[in-house]
Amino acid sequence: MSISVFELFKIGVGPSSSHTVGPMVAARQFVRDVEAEQKLQQTDRVEVHLYGSLALTGIGHGTDMAVLMGLLGEAPDTIDVDTIDDKLAQIERDRALALNGDHRISFERDRDLLFHSDEFLPQHANGMTCKAWHGDELLFERSYFSIGGGFVLSEEDFAHKDQIATLLPYDFSSGRQLMELCEKHDWTIAELAMANEKAFRDESEIRDELWHIWEVMDASIKRGCEQTGLLPGGLNVRRRAAELYRELSKQSEEEHQHGLSILDWVSLFALAVNEENAARGRIVTSPTNGAAGVIPAVIAYYVQFVHDPEEHGDLKEQVVKFMLTAGAIGMLFKKNASISAAEVGCQGEIGVACSMASAGLAAVQGGNNQQIENAAEIGMEHNLGLTCDPIGGLVQVPCIERNTMGAVKAINAARLSLRGDGAHIVPLDSVIETMRQTGVDMQSKYKETSQGGLAVNAVNC
């Protein structure tokens, strides 16, 4: 399965890539599939059945909202997030919605949006089945799977997912192959990733779009530093980024450059992004929404505290290098393990984001390919076994703070790797396989179901 870096870095909406972005994409695709079958005009009702993790934590993750927006024809990267509440209220009030924005049908939540919390579809923990009806006649039915990071496969695509590919000139399916290809062509990891991306689009377009993705990340940091109040969902979690930003902004220049103070800023960047995510704001899936603060925080750390134009060159080129390198590492996890917490726990989200960020930071600080691979390996090795146990099914506790820890770990991993010569005992491929095996062995209650861990042992108030 060939993957583009733009599939790992997608502009979207919070709070979850697998439970919000994915279901919105799937519901939108369902309407398009019905239309392709020339049955849209006959449809007078639709049903959406949510299974497994989508059902267990769907309300807290905004899955219901996402499905309805997708049926309306909205897409995660273009939806006006400020209009969502009004659209939901209108659906509730009218007991109707317009498929793709123009074909009006009857719709009642309790009847047409069904949560099957005790049933899992066999293909994946995040499954949903959509049905189009004309009276009592079933016109069309299809299942879709949100496999992490906003990736969606239909049941037909899922059965042939390994065959869905764009032929890449320098394709790789393991860290070893990646390193061998780089050595053969005397390329950095970023240069090889760029060569592959050019199979999809023009090089200048790649650079511009990656810079734009950073601009969206940066905007989410800035907006998160301005917003106050309680996050939605009922846990009464108070937004902290704005207050922390005010405190840090009062520091003297000497305090500002102090090592531990810099870590406070890194934590702030991650907090700001993930509070925006929890508030259903605009963020970049990187590679998931639950872990969306790690990579932006580490890039912001580099931009504000490390980058020297004389030493490192043009900032845009460095950010592009960071994201291409991180993307190549993320592809390895996507291909050989998972980036879905519903499959492997939070090691597949925060762990993968930490590994990607570690590699990207090592690259822009002059690390060679061996040091970059070492940084990626360290970043994941020390997140192995991390569970996903969100309280109340919300992407808030422990998710928001967990992003700060992932960002700090990523910086430390990069620094450790750059202090060495790249030699290390555990290859990246081994740690990825270990992560996969750990995810298989992990009990389902620790995989984004809110049935174990902090979700049941912390007071829910």
Side-chain angles (χ1 to χ4, degrees):
M1 180 170 61
S2 301
I3 304 170
S4 165
V5 67
F6 295 106
E7 295 176 85
L8 294 167
F9 297 115
K10 296 191 291 292
I11 298 170
V13 60
S16 171
S17 49
S18 60
H19 287 58
T20 313
V21 174
M24 190 183 299
V25 170
R28 185 171 185 257
Q29 185 60 50
F30 169 68
V31 176
R32 293 185 169 193
D33 290 344
V34 173
E35 187 172 29
E37 294 289 324
Q38 298 184 339
K39 295 180 178 179
L40 184 59
Q41 296 306 314
Q42 303 171 53
T43 300
D44 55 24
R45 185 169 68 86
V46 298
E47 286 178 357
V48 178
H49 298 258
L50 302 168
Y51 297 93
S53 180
L54 289 183
L56 287 163
T57 60
I59 296 295
H61 283 61
T63 305
D64 51 343
M65 172 276 294
V67 168
L68 298 183
M69 294 303 104
L71 292 176
L72 290 177
E74 298 285 0
D77 58 335
T78 57
I79 187 172
D80 182 347
V81 295
D82 294 326
T83 68
I84 291 176
D85 287 337
D86 288 341
K87 289 173 179 174
L88 291 174
Q90 184 175 352
I91 293 171
E92 198 75 26
R93 183 175 60 251
D94 296 348
R95 294 188 176 183
L97 58 77
L99 295 177
N100 205 28
D102 56 21
H103 180 65
R104 189 175 175 86
I105 65 167
S106 167
F107 190 89
E108 297 184 22
R109 275 181 181 248
D110 293 342
R111 181 192 67 188
D112 300 322
L113 185 57
L114 305 170
F115 293 79
H116 303 277
S117 57
D118 58 349
E119 187 176 352
F120 286 72
L121 297 182
Q123 294 93 331
H124 194 277
N126 292 331
M128 55 188 284
T129 299
C130 304
K131 300 179 181 183
W133 295 87
H134 176 72
D136 295 330
E137 179 188 359
L138 179 61
L139 298 174
F140 184 79
E141 175 180 350
R142 180 160 288 168
S143 293
Y144 303 85
F145 303 92
S146 180
I147 61 173
F151 289 81
V152 171
L153 295 175
S154 69
E155 55 190 320
E156 292 83 1
D157 290 340
F158 197 95
H160 305 288
K161 63 180 183 296
D162 293 332
Q163 301 170 23
I164 303 171
T166 296
L167 186 62
L168 298 179
Y170 309 101
D171 203 3
F172 56 91
S173 58
S174 68
R176 181 176 179 178
Q177 288 179 351
L178 172 61
M179 299 297 282
E180 288 174 348
L181 281 168
C182 287
E183 183 176 359
K184 177 181 178 179
H185 297 282
D186 192 25
W187 281 340
T188 65
I189 292 173
E191 288 170 337
L192 185 140
M194 174 63 84
N196 279 335
E197 286 300 319
K198 287 160 71 173
F200 299 102
R201 50 184 64 82
D202 179 75
E203 181 170 340
S204 62
E205 182 185 351
I206 295 166
R207 296 182 186 280
D208 289 345
E209 184 59 25
L210 287 174
W211 180 254
H212 173 59
I213 286 173
W214 160 241
E215 289 178 322
V216 175
M217 289 178 172
D218 190 40
S220 68
I221 292 174
K222 291 175 179 174
R223 191 171 192 277
C225 288
E226 297 169 352
Q227 304 302 308
T228 60
L230 299 178
L231 293 171
L235 285 182
N236 295 324
V237 174
R238 181 175 59 86
R239 295 182 73 138
R240 291 179 286 172
E243 182 179 348
L244 180 56
Y245 174 70
R246 286 193 296 271
E247 291 178 2
L248 294 177
S249 298
K250 295 176 183 177
Q251 292 179 333
S252 66
E253 186 63 27
E254 182 178 347
E255 291 173 317
H256 184 71
Q257 294 295 330
H258 189 272
L260 292 181
S261 176
I262 290 175
L263 292 185
D264 289 339
W265 281 97
V266 173
S267 293
L268 166 65
F269 302 147
L271 279 175
V273 173
N274 280 84
E275 287 178 355
E276 277 297 285
N277 180 60
R280 213 164 58 193
R282 175 76 64 215
I283 52 90
V284 175
T285 297
S286 47
T288 68
N289 283 33
V294 175
I295 289 173
V298 176
I299 297 179
Y301 158 77
Y302 172 78
V303 169
Q304 295 199 26
F305 298 104
V306 179
H307 180 71
D308 181 343
E310 293 186 6
E311 179 182 355
H312 301 126
D314 180 65
L315 179 60
K316 178 178 178 179
E317 290 303 303
Q318 288 294 88
V319 170
V320 168
K321 179 191 291 188
F322 185 112
M323 298 184 80
L324 286 171
T325 305
I329 298 303
M331 292 172 197
L332 292 173
F333 285 98
K334 178 65 182 169
K335 290 179 179 180
N336 298 310
S338 176
I339 59 171
S340 169
E343 279 193 301
V344 296
C346 198
Q347 58 176 356
E349 298 204 21
I350 291 293
V352 173
C354 179
S355 181
M356 293 170 65
S358 304
L361 183 59
V364 296
Q365 291 188 274
N368 60 39
N369 288 339
Q370 289 71 32
Q371 290 171 315
I372 293 167
E373 193 230 13
N374 187 203
E377 179 270 322
I378 295 171
M380 172 51 76
E381 185 177 340
H382 302 289
N383 281 291
L384 288 173
L386 192 61
T387 60
C388 181
D389 48 359
I391 297 175
L394 298 165
V395 191
Q396 297 179 18
V397 182
C399 318
I400 295 173
E401 287 182 355
R402 192 166 280 175
N403 276 262
T404 72
M405 303 306 292
V408 170
K409 279 185 179 182
I411 293 169
N412 197 36
R415 290 176 65 85
L416 282 172
S417 71
L418 293 172
R419 291 290 184 182
D421 59 5
H424 50 287
I425 293 174
V426 181
L428 178 59
D429 288 332
S430 294
V431 84
I432 292 174
E433 174 58 17
T434 301
M435 189 269 268
R436 187 194 68 80
Q437 292 177 7
T438 304
V440 171
D441 292 340
M442 189 180 292
Q443 294 183 46
S444 63
K445 66 181 181 179
Y446 299 119
K447 298 180 186 179
E448 207 169 3
T449 62
S450 290
Q451 295 181 321
L454 288 175
V456 299
N457 289 308
V459 176
N460 190 350
C461 61

